[in-house]
Amino acid sequence: MATVGAGLGLRAVAAGDVAKYGGDALYTLLLVALVVLVAPRVSPRVAAGSALALSWAVEFLQLSDVPAELSARSTVARLVLGTTFNAPDLHWYAIGAAGGWLVLTAVDGRRRTGGRK
């Protein structure tokens, strides 16, 4: 929920590249959270890698007409799949995955030490 809220907040206060590319990073961060929700024991590396792979797969799917056709019929499809391939998005997905990995690694380390530093 925090990631979705951050994305909506970003759209409300920012425009242009900041909103677009920040949204790309948050999209992948949301996927990291969903991976952990589905598989709670997954390692931070696997969660981040899986989210990044899925983000990139969706972006490369945009090289076909499928996402654009589905997006024309459904707002949900447009939000999830996008419509147009944009190579710089790939970089920002990696930034989101790295952020998710860092958060999960920190949480995992605190869990192992019982919250002690």
Side-chain angles (χ1 to χ4, degrees), residues 33-51:
L34 292 174
V35 168
V36 171
L37 185 65
V38 171
R41 296 182 189 264
V42 69
S43 72
R45 180 178 48 87
V46 170
S50 298

Side-chain angles (χ1 to χ4, degrees), residues 1-2 6 26 34 46 54 62 71-72 78 80 91 105 110 117:
M1 293 305 288
L26 288 169
L34 292 174
V46 170
L54 185 56
Q62 292 170 359
S71 294
R78 190 184 70 217
V80 172
H91 169 77
T105 299
R110 288 184 61 89
K117 289 190 176 197

Side-chain angles (χ1 to χ4, degrees), residues 15 43 59 83:
S43 72
E59 190 68 30
T83 57

Side-chain angles (χ1 to χ4, degrees), residues 13-101:
V13 300
D17 287 348
V18 171
K20 183 190 178 343
Y21 295 126
D24 289 343
L26 288 169
Y27 176 86
T28 302
L29 188 59
L30 176 62
L31 291 177
V32 170
L34 292 174
V35 168
V36 171
L37 185 65
V38 171
R41 296 182 189 264
V42 69
S43 72
R45 180 178 48 87
V46 170
S50 298
L52 180 59
L54 185 56
S55 296
W56 282 356
V58 168
E59 190 68 30
F60 282 112
L61 181 64
Q62 292 170 359
L63 290 169
S64 74
D65 293 332
V66 174
E69 289 175 13
L70 292 173
S71 294
R73 295 183 219 153
S74 167
T75 301
V76 173
R78 190 184 70 217
L79 292 171
V80 172
L81 299 176
T83 57
T84 308
F85 178 80
N86 185 30
D89 291 351
L90 300 171
H91 169 77
W92 291 100
Y93 295 142
I95 298 293
W101 175 81

